[in-house]
Amino acid sequence: VAIVGATGLVGRTLLQVLEERRFPLRELRLLASERSREKSLPFRGEQTAIEELSKERIKNLDIAFFATDAAISREFVPLTAGDGALVIDNSSAFRLEAGFPLVVPEVNGEEIFNHQRVIANPNCSTIQLVVVLAPLQRHFGLKRVIVSTYQSVSGSGQKGLDQFFAEVKGEHVIAPFYPYPIFGNCLPQIGAFDEDGYSEEEVKIMAETKKILGLPELPITATAVRVPVPYCHCESANVQLQLDFNLQEVRQVLAEAPGVVLVDGLTYPIPQQARGRDGVFVGRLRRDPSVERGINLWIVADNLRKGAATNAVQIAEVWIQEKERWEKLNR
Ligand SMILES: NC(=O)c1ccc[n+]([C@@H]2O[C@H](COP(=O)([O-])OP(=O)(O)OC[C@H]3O[C@@H](n4cnc5c(N)ncnc54)[C@H](OP(=O)(O)O)[C@@H]3O)[C@@H](O)[C@H]2O)c1
Protein backbone atom coordinates (compact mmCIF):
# COMPACT_ATOMS: atom_id res chain seq x y z
CA VAL A 1 0.00 0.00 0.00
CA ALA A 2 1.22 3.54 -0.71
CA ILE A 3 0.20 7.01 0.38
CA VAL A 4 1.19 9.61 -2.20
CA GLY A 5 1.31 13.00 -0.46
CA ALA A 6 1.93 11.30 2.89
CA THR A 7 3.33 14.45 4.55
CA GLY A 8 0.24 16.61 3.87
CA LEU A 9 -2.79 17.08 6.10
CA VAL A 10 -4.81 14.36 4.34
CA GLY A 11 -1.78 12.06 3.96
CA ARG A 12 -0.95 12.18 7.67
CA THR A 13 -4.59 11.59 8.57
CA LEU A 14 -4.59 8.58 6.22
CA LEU A 15 -1.64 7.15 8.16
CA GLN A 16 -3.53 7.61 11.41
CA VAL A 17 -6.77 6.09 10.08
CA LEU A 18 -4.97 3.07 8.55
CA GLU A 19 -3.31 2.42 11.91
CA GLU A 20 -6.47 2.92 13.99
CA ARG A 21 -8.57 0.65 11.77
CA ARG A 22 -5.83 -2.04 11.60
CA PHE A 23 -5.93 -1.89 7.83
CA PRO A 24 -4.62 -5.21 6.44
CA LEU A 25 -1.30 -4.28 4.83
CA ARG A 26 2.10 -5.92 4.63
CA GLU A 27 4.17 -2.90 3.67
CA LEU A 28 3.42 0.82 3.59
CA ARG A 29 5.25 3.10 1.19
CA LEU A 30 5.16 6.84 1.92
CA LEU A 31 5.73 9.19 -0.99
CA ALA A 32 5.90 12.99 -1.19
CA SER A 33 7.89 15.70 -2.96
CA GLU A 34 11.69 15.96 -2.99
CA ARG A 35 11.34 18.50 -0.14
CA SER A 36 10.44 15.62 2.22
CA ARG A 37 13.18 13.19 1.26
CA GLU A 38 14.96 13.34 4.62
CA LYS A 39 11.77 13.01 6.66
CA SER A 40 9.98 10.04 8.19
CA LEU A 41 6.58 9.50 9.80
CA PRO A 42 5.52 7.08 12.56
CA PHE A 43 3.40 4.06 11.62
CA ARG A 44 2.64 1.14 13.94
CA GLY A 45 5.37 2.17 16.34
CA GLU A 46 8.13 2.58 13.77
CA GLN A 47 9.46 5.53 11.78
CA THR A 48 8.79 5.01 8.06
CA ALA A 49 11.02 6.94 5.65
CA ILE A 50 9.45 9.27 3.09
CA GLU A 51 10.53 8.65 -0.49
CA GLU A 52 10.32 11.04 -3.40
CA LEU A 53 7.43 10.30 -5.79
CA SER A 54 8.67 8.80 -9.06
CA LYS A 55 7.43 6.48 -11.77
CA GLU A 56 9.50 3.62 -10.28
CA ARG A 57 8.10 4.01 -6.78
CA ILE A 58 4.46 3.58 -7.82
CA LYS A 59 5.10 0.10 -9.23
CA ASN A 60 4.05 -3.23 -7.62
CA LEU A 61 1.37 -1.73 -5.40
CA ASP A 62 -2.00 -3.26 -4.48
CA ILE A 63 -3.59 -0.03 -3.29
CA ALA A 64 -2.48 3.59 -3.62
CA PHE A 65 -4.10 6.49 -1.78
CA PHE A 66 -3.36 9.76 -3.56
CA ALA A 67 -3.46 12.89 -1.38
CA THR A 68 -1.76 15.39 -3.66
CA ASP A 69 -3.12 18.14 -5.88
CA ALA A 70 -5.01 17.43 -9.11
CA ALA A 71 -2.04 18.06 -11.43
CA ILE A 72 0.04 15.34 -9.73
CA SER A 73 -2.92 12.96 -9.75
CA ARG A 74 -3.49 13.53 -13.47
CA GLU A 75 0.11 12.54 -14.15
CA PHE A 76 0.64 9.67 -11.70
CA VAL A 77 -2.80 8.09 -11.08
CA PRO A 78 -3.12 6.56 -14.60
CA LEU A 79 0.43 5.16 -14.32
CA THR A 80 -0.24 3.63 -10.90
CA ALA A 81 -3.57 2.10 -11.99
CA GLY A 82 -1.97 0.99 -15.26
CA ASP A 83 0.55 -1.01 -13.25
CA GLY A 84 -2.31 -2.90 -11.57
CA ALA A 85 -3.02 -1.03 -8.34
CA LEU A 86 -6.40 0.14 -7.11
CA VAL A 87 -6.11 3.93 -6.77
CA ILE A 88 -8.27 6.02 -4.45
CA ASP A 89 -7.71 9.62 -5.39
CA ASN A 90 -8.48 12.50 -3.03
CA SER A 91 -7.95 15.22 -5.62
CA SER A 92 -10.57 16.67 -7.96
CA ALA A 93 -8.78 15.33 -11.09
CA PHE A 94 -11.21 12.52 -12.01
CA ARG A 95 -14.27 13.17 -9.84
CA LEU A 96 -16.60 14.33 -12.59
CA GLU A 97 -15.22 12.26 -15.46
CA ALA A 98 -17.43 9.51 -16.85
CA GLY A 99 -16.15 6.02 -15.96
CA PHE A 100 -14.67 7.19 -12.65
CA PRO A 101 -16.92 6.37 -9.70
CA LEU A 102 -17.22 9.06 -7.05
CA VAL A 103 -17.97 7.21 -3.87
CA VAL A 104 -19.26 7.70 -0.36
CA PRO A 105 -19.74 4.12 0.89
CA GLU A 106 -22.89 4.87 2.94
CA VAL A 107 -24.52 6.46 -0.11
CA ASN A 108 -23.39 4.71 -3.32
CA GLY A 109 -21.06 1.94 -2.12
CA GLU A 110 -22.15 -0.30 -5.00
CA GLU A 111 -20.15 1.98 -7.35
CA ILE A 112 -16.95 0.64 -5.78
CA PHE A 113 -17.17 -2.37 -8.12
CA ASN A 114 -17.79 -0.33 -11.21
CA HIS A 115 -14.35 1.08 -11.98
CA GLN A 116 -11.19 0.81 -14.05
CA ARG A 117 -8.94 0.70 -10.97
CA VAL A 118 -9.47 4.40 -10.12
CA ILE A 119 -12.05 5.57 -7.58
CA ALA A 120 -12.43 9.25 -6.81
CA ASN A 121 -12.92 10.43 -3.25
CA PRO A 122 -15.33 13.38 -3.23
CA ASN A 123 -14.74 16.91 -2.00
CA CYS A 124 -14.92 17.20 1.81
CA SER A 125 -17.97 19.50 1.80
CA THR A 126 -19.79 17.21 -0.60
CA ILE A 127 -19.20 14.09 1.52
CA GLN A 128 -20.82 15.43 4.68
CA LEU A 129 -23.72 16.88 2.67
CA VAL A 130 -24.60 13.67 0.79
CA VAL A 131 -24.36 11.47 3.91
CA VAL A 132 -27.32 13.52 5.22
CA LEU A 133 -29.16 14.10 1.92
CA ALA A 134 -29.15 10.40 0.89
CA PRO A 135 -31.49 9.15 3.66
CA LEU A 136 -33.75 12.17 3.10
CA GLN A 137 -33.88 11.31 -0.61
CA ARG A 138 -34.67 7.66 0.13
CA HIS A 139 -37.55 8.44 2.52
CA PHE A 140 -39.02 11.72 1.33
CA GLY A 141 -37.45 12.57 -2.06
CA LEU A 142 -35.41 15.74 -2.61
CA LYS A 143 -36.97 18.63 -4.50
CA ARG A 144 -34.37 21.37 -4.03
CA VAL A 145 -31.22 21.98 -1.95
CA ILE A 146 -29.63 25.27 -0.86
CA VAL A 147 -26.36 24.84 1.02
CA SER A 148 -24.07 27.42 2.63
CA THR A 149 -20.74 26.21 3.97
CA TYR A 150 -18.51 27.43 6.80
CA GLN A 151 -15.24 25.71 5.92
CA SER A 152 -12.19 25.43 8.15
CA VAL A 153 -8.70 26.48 7.05
CA SER A 154 -7.35 22.89 7.12
CA GLY A 155 -9.53 22.36 4.05
CA SER A 156 -6.91 24.39 2.15
CA GLY A 157 -4.11 22.02 3.21
CA GLN A 158 -1.04 22.85 5.30
CA LYS A 159 -0.68 26.33 3.73
CA GLY A 160 -4.11 27.45 4.97
CA LEU A 161 -3.45 26.17 8.47
CA ASP A 162 -0.01 27.86 8.52
CA GLN A 163 -1.45 31.27 7.55
CA PHE A 164 -4.23 30.96 10.13
CA PHE A 165 -1.92 30.06 13.05
CA ALA A 166 0.64 32.73 12.06
CA GLU A 167 -2.13 35.34 12.11
CA VAL A 168 -3.47 34.02 15.42
CA LYS A 169 0.01 34.62 16.89
CA GLY A 170 0.13 38.10 15.33
CA GLU A 171 3.03 37.18 13.03
CA HIS A 172 3.56 38.84 9.66
CA VAL A 173 2.73 36.40 6.85
CA ILE A 174 5.20 36.89 3.98
CA ALA A 175 3.43 34.81 1.31
CA PRO A 176 -0.21 34.50 2.40
CA PHE A 177 -2.27 31.67 0.90
CA TYR A 178 -5.60 33.54 1.08
CA PRO A 179 -6.27 36.84 -0.72
CA TYR A 180 -7.16 38.50 2.64
CA PRO A 181 -6.33 37.78 6.29
CA ILE A 182 -8.33 34.78 7.53
CA PHE A 183 -8.08 35.34 11.28
CA GLY A 184 -11.04 37.51 12.36
CA ASN A 185 -12.49 37.25 8.86
CA CYS A 186 -14.83 35.24 6.59
CA LEU A 187 -13.96 34.80 2.92
CA PRO A 188 -16.80 33.99 0.51
CA GLN A 189 -14.33 32.63 -2.04
CA ILE A 190 -12.90 29.10 -2.24
CA GLY A 191 -11.09 28.71 -5.56
CA ALA A 192 -11.43 30.85 -8.67
CA PHE A 193 -14.77 32.31 -9.81
CA ASP A 194 -16.38 31.13 -13.07
CA GLU A 195 -18.28 33.28 -15.58
CA ASP A 196 -21.52 32.81 -13.58
CA GLY A 197 -19.87 34.10 -10.40
CA TYR A 198 -19.61 30.69 -8.67
CA SER A 199 -16.37 29.66 -6.97
CA GLU A 200 -14.67 26.36 -7.84
CA GLU A 201 -15.69 24.87 -4.49
CA GLU A 202 -19.35 25.81 -5.06
CA VAL A 203 -19.30 24.21 -8.52
CA LYS A 204 -17.72 21.04 -7.08
CA ILE A 205 -20.34 20.74 -4.32
CA MET A 206 -23.23 21.12 -6.78
CA ALA A 207 -21.89 18.79 -9.48
CA GLU A 208 -20.51 16.11 -7.14
CA THR A 209 -23.73 15.96 -5.09
CA LYS A 210 -25.76 15.28 -8.25
CA LYS A 211 -23.33 12.57 -9.39
CA ILE A 212 -23.14 10.73 -6.06
CA LEU A 213 -26.89 10.82 -5.46
CA GLY A 214 -27.52 9.80 -9.09
CA LEU A 215 -29.81 12.84 -9.49
CA PRO A 216 -28.39 14.78 -12.45
CA GLU A 217 -31.40 17.15 -12.50
CA LEU A 218 -31.47 17.94 -8.77
CA PRO A 219 -31.90 21.71 -8.29
CA ILE A 220 -29.05 22.68 -5.96
CA THR A 221 -27.17 25.88 -5.25
CA ALA A 222 -24.17 26.46 -2.97
CA THR A 223 -22.32 29.30 -1.27
CA ALA A 224 -18.91 28.30 0.10
CA VAL A 225 -17.25 30.41 2.80
CA ARG A 226 -13.84 29.99 4.45
CA VAL A 227 -14.02 30.76 8.18
CA PRO A 228 -11.28 31.20 10.82
CA VAL A 229 -11.68 27.74 12.36
CA PRO A 230 -8.77 25.24 12.18
CA TYR A 231 -10.60 21.92 11.69
CA CYS A 232 -14.07 20.67 10.63
CA HIS A 233 -16.51 22.09 8.12
CA CYS A 234 -20.04 23.27 8.96
CA GLU A 235 -22.96 23.55 6.57
CA SER A 236 -26.38 25.13 6.73
CA ALA A 237 -28.63 23.13 4.40
CA ASN A 238 -32.10 24.28 3.39
CA VAL A 239 -33.84 21.32 1.80
CA GLN A 240 -37.22 21.10 0.12
CA LEU A 241 -38.63 17.58 0.17
CA GLN A 242 -41.06 15.91 -2.21
CA LEU A 243 -43.23 14.21 0.44
CA ASP A 244 -44.89 15.59 3.55
CA PHE A 245 -42.97 14.97 6.75
CA ASN A 246 -43.06 15.66 10.43
CA LEU A 247 -39.88 16.59 12.25
CA GLN A 248 -39.99 13.51 14.47
CA GLU A 249 -40.00 11.26 11.39
CA VAL A 250 -37.01 13.13 9.92
CA ARG A 251 -35.15 12.83 13.24
CA GLN A 252 -35.76 9.10 13.24
CA VAL A 253 -34.64 8.65 9.63
CA LEU A 254 -31.43 10.58 10.31
CA ALA A 255 -30.78 8.86 13.64
CA GLU A 256 -30.90 5.48 11.86
CA ALA A 257 -28.92 6.56 8.77
CA PRO A 258 -25.42 5.07 8.36
CA GLY A 259 -22.65 7.54 9.17
CA VAL A 260 -25.01 10.16 10.65
CA VAL A 261 -24.93 11.23 14.31
CA LEU A 262 -28.01 13.21 15.33
CA VAL A 263 -27.28 15.96 17.86
CA ASP A 264 -30.57 17.79 17.99
CA GLY A 265 -32.61 19.48 20.68
CA LEU A 266 -31.03 21.55 23.43
CA THR A 267 -27.58 21.02 21.95
CA TYR A 268 -26.12 21.07 18.42
CA PRO A 269 -23.04 19.94 16.49
CA ILE A 270 -19.89 22.08 16.70
CA PRO A 271 -16.41 21.72 15.14
CA GLN A 272 -14.64 21.20 18.46
CA GLN A 273 -16.73 18.10 19.13
CA ALA A 274 -16.56 16.72 15.59
CA ARG A 275 -12.73 17.03 15.50
CA GLY A 276 -11.01 13.65 15.29
CA ARG A 277 -14.29 11.76 14.86
CA ASP A 278 -15.70 9.98 11.82
CA GLY A 279 -19.41 10.79 12.10
CA VAL A 280 -21.38 13.38 10.17
CA PHE A 281 -23.12 15.34 12.92
CA VAL A 282 -26.50 16.91 12.20
CA GLY A 283 -28.77 19.12 14.27
CA ARG A 284 -30.81 22.37 14.42
CA LEU A 285 -33.65 20.65 12.56
CA ARG A 286 -36.41 23.18 11.85
CA ARG A 287 -39.31 23.37 9.46
CA ASP A 288 -38.82 26.21 6.97
CA PRO A 289 -42.10 28.19 7.09
CA SER A 290 -41.27 30.12 3.90
CA VAL A 291 -41.69 27.17 1.55
CA GLU A 292 -43.76 23.96 1.26
CA ARG A 293 -42.13 20.85 2.78
CA GLY A 294 -38.94 22.76 3.62
CA ILE A 295 -36.49 21.87 6.36
CA ASN A 296 -33.32 23.49 7.73
CA LEU A 297 -30.38 21.45 9.00
CA TRP A 298 -26.91 22.15 10.43
CA ILE A 299 -24.24 19.62 9.42
CA VAL A 300 -20.70 19.32 10.86
CA ALA A 301 -17.90 16.85 10.08
CA ASP A 302 -14.12 16.57 10.30
CA ASN A 303 -12.94 17.48 6.79
CA LEU A 304 -9.69 15.53 7.20
CA ARG A 305 -11.39 12.34 8.43
CA LYS A 306 -14.85 11.59 6.97
CA GLY A 307 -14.26 14.43 4.50
CA ALA A 308 -11.09 12.77 3.17
CA ALA A 309 -9.01 10.01 4.85
CA THR A 310 -11.70 7.92 6.55
CA ASN A 311 -13.91 7.91 3.46
CA ALA A 312 -10.95 6.77 1.32
CA VAL A 313 -10.03 3.97 3.72
CA GLN A 314 -13.67 2.84 3.95
CA ILE A 315 -13.74 2.53 0.14
CA ALA A 316 -10.61 0.35 0.24
CA GLU A 317 -12.06 -1.80 3.04
CA VAL A 318 -15.25 -2.50 1.08
CA TRP A 319 -13.18 -3.34 -2.01
CA ILE A 320 -10.96 -5.76 -0.07
CA GLN A 321 -13.95 -7.52 1.54
CA GLU A 322 -15.62 -7.99 -1.83
CA LYS A 323 -12.38 -9.16 -3.48
CA GLU A 324 -11.86 -11.76 -0.74
CA ARG A 325 -15.49 -12.95 -1.04
CA TRP A 326 -15.13 -13.26 -4.80
CA GLU A 327 -11.82 -15.14 -4.52
CA LYS A 328 -13.38 -17.57 -2.02
CA LEU A 329 -16.31 -18.23 -4.36
CA ASN A 330 -13.93 -18.93 -7.25
CA ARG A 331 -11.46 -21.08 -5.35
N1 LIG B 1 -7.55 19.27 3.33
C1 LIG B 1 -8.76 18.74 3.18
O1 LIG B 1 -9.64 18.92 4.02
C2 LIG B 1 -9.06 17.91 1.98
C3 LIG B 1 -10.26 17.21 1.96
C4 LIG B 1 -10.59 16.43 0.83
C5 LIG B 1 -9.71 16.37 -0.23
N2 LIG B 1 -8.55 17.08 -0.20
C6 LIG B 1 -7.63 16.96 -1.33
O2 LIG B 1 -6.55 16.13 -0.93
C7 LIG B 1 -5.34 16.53 -1.59
C8 LIG B 1 -4.27 16.81 -0.54
O3 LIG B 1 -4.72 17.89 0.29
P1 LIG B 1 -3.97 18.33 1.65
O4 LIG B 1 -4.94 19.20 2.34
O5 LIG B 1 -3.43 17.15 2.36
O6 LIG B 1 -2.76 19.21 1.07
P2 LIG B 1 -1.33 19.55 1.74
O7 LIG B 1 -1.42 19.55 3.22
O8 LIG B 1 -0.88 20.78 1.06
O9 LIG B 1 -0.40 18.31 1.27
C9 LIG B 1 0.01 18.16 -0.04
C10 LIG B 1 0.85 16.91 -0.19
O10 LIG B 1 1.26 16.80 -1.57
C11 LIG B 1 2.66 16.59 -1.60
N3 LIG B 1 3.27 17.12 -2.83
C12 LIG B 1 3.30 18.42 -3.25
N4 LIG B 1 4.00 18.52 -4.40
C13 LIG B 1 4.42 17.26 -4.71
C14 LIG B 1 5.19 16.69 -5.76
N5 LIG B 1 5.68 17.45 -6.75
N6 LIG B 1 5.41 15.36 -5.75
C15 LIG B 1 4.93 14.57 -4.76
N7 LIG B 1 4.18 15.05 -3.73
C16 LIG B 1 3.94 16.37 -3.71
C17 LIG B 1 3.18 17.31 -0.39
O11 LIG B 1 4.48 16.82 -0.10
P3 LIG B 1 5.62 17.77 0.57
O12 LIG B 1 5.31 17.81 2.04
O13 LIG B 1 6.88 17.02 0.30
O14 LIG B 1 5.54 19.10 -0.08
C18 LIG B 1 2.13 16.90 0.63
O15 LIG B 1 2.40 15.60 1.10
C19 LIG B 1 -5.72 17.73 -2.47
O16 LIG B 1 -6.04 17.30 -3.76
C20 LIG B 1 -6.99 18.25 -1.78
O17 LIG B 1 -7.82 18.97 -2.67
C21 LIG B 1 -8.20 17.84 0.89
Side-chain angles (χ1 to χ4, degrees):
V1 172
I3 301 176
V4 184
T7 50
L9 292 185
V10 174
R12 279 181 280 146
T13 312
L14 273 164
L15 261 169
Q16 231 173 22
V17 172
L18 290 174
E19 182 160 335
E20 284 169 16
R21 295 173 79 101
R22 297 194 167 80
F23 191 84
L25 60 85
R26 232 188 350 250
E27 187 195 329
L28 184 63
R29 201 175 293 169
L30 302 182
L31 304 171
S33 79
E34 47 87 32
R35 290 179 291 275
S36 300
R37 262 188 319 198
E38 308 289 305
K39 295 184 190 159
S40 63
L41 285 167
F43 183 68
R44 293 183 180 164
E46 282 178 29
Q47 285 299 118
T48 305
I50 313 284
E51 300 173 274
E52 184 180 351
L53 172 63
S54 71
K55 289 177 185 166
E56 283 310 306
R57 294 200 172 106
I58 47 159
K59 288 194 169 146
N60 303 318
L61 294 167
D62 291 315
I63 299 176
F65 295 99
F66 270 72
T68 46
D69 67 27
I72 296 173
S73 286
R74 271 190 215 101
E75 183 180 352
F76 285 93
V77 164
L79 298 173
T80 313
D83 189 61
L86 170 74
V87 178
I88 300 167
D89 182 28
N90 277 283
S91 85
S92 58
F94 304 100
R95 287 181 191 154
L96 297 176
E97 283 193 27
F100 291 85
L102 184 62
V103 178
V104 177
E106 296 91 334
V107 179
N108 63 341
E110 67 285 353
E111 289 287 318
I112 291 173
F113 312 108
N114 194 13
H115 62 89
Q116 309 283 334
R117 296 215 193 89
V118 180
I119 299 178
N121 210 39
N123 172 282
C124 37
S125 301
T126 309
I127 293 178
Q128 66 185 73
L129 181 63
V130 296
V131 167
V132 172
L133 290 183
L136 296 180
Q137 160 66 12
R138 278 196 290 275
H139 286 82
F140 307 101
L142 298 173
K143 192 166 181 201
R144 182 185 182 211
V145 177
I146 304 169
V147 60
S148 303
T149 71
Y150 305 66
Q151 298 184 221
S152 66
V153 293
S154 59
S156 312
Q158 190 63 50
K159 291 194 197 88
L161 212 50
D162 289 347
Q163 177 174 341
F164 170 74
F165 282 122
E167 289 176 1
V168 167
K169 287 187 240 157
E171 292 169 6
H172 174 65
V173 182
I174 299 162
F177 175 76
Y178 299 113
Y180 299 97
I182 184 64
F183 181 55
N185 225 348
C186 287
L187 308 180
Q189 175 181 12
I190 302 185
F193 293 120
D194 69 11
E195 62 276 16
D196 297 322
Y198 278 86
S199 70
E200 275 177 86
E201 184 81 355
E202 291 160 352
V203 172
K204 284 180 199 168
I205 295 170
M206 295 187 288
E208 292 181 21
T209 298
K210 293 180 195 184
K211 178 168 173 174
I212 297 164
L213 294 175
L215 298 172
E217 306 301 330
L218 177 71
I220 175 170
T221 186
T223 301
V225 182
R226 187 72 68 197
V227 297
V229 168
Y231 303 100
C232 299
H233 292 350
C234 304
E235 295 178 345
S236 157
N238 178 271
V239 182
Q240 206 180 353
L241 300 170
Q242 305 261 9
L243 299 179
D244 274 334
F245 66 89
N246 71 54
L247 280 179
Q248 203 40 40
E249 268 178 292
V250 176
R251 281 195 192 98
Q252 193 171 341
V253 163
L254 291 175
E256 289 169 3
V260 174
V261 183
L262 184 69
V263 186
D264 192 43
L266 293 176
T267 180
Y268 41 78
I270 53 171
Q272 289 184 0
Q273 279 168 4
R275 173 69 181 137
R277 296 170 70 188
D278 289 325
V280 173
F281 298 84
V282 61
R284 300 289 330 275
L285 265 59
R286 287 150 292 149
R287 190 176 278 280
D288 174 358
S290 71
V291 71
E292 256 192 314
R293 297 186 286 275
I295 187 166
N296 285 305
L297 312 118
W298 175 249
I299 306 164
V300 182
D302 189 327
N303 51 297
L304 295 174
R305 290 189 65 103
K306 183 58 187 168
T310 303
N311 197 69
V313 174
Q314 286 171 328
I315 291 172
E317 287 171 345
V318 174
W319 182 77
I320 289 170
Q321 277 164 16
E322 186 60 21
K323 193 166 165 281
E324 284 173 350
R325 198 178 69 84
W326 194 84
E327 281 168 358
K328 230 181 243 169
L329 282 176
N330 287 284
R331 218 169 265 159

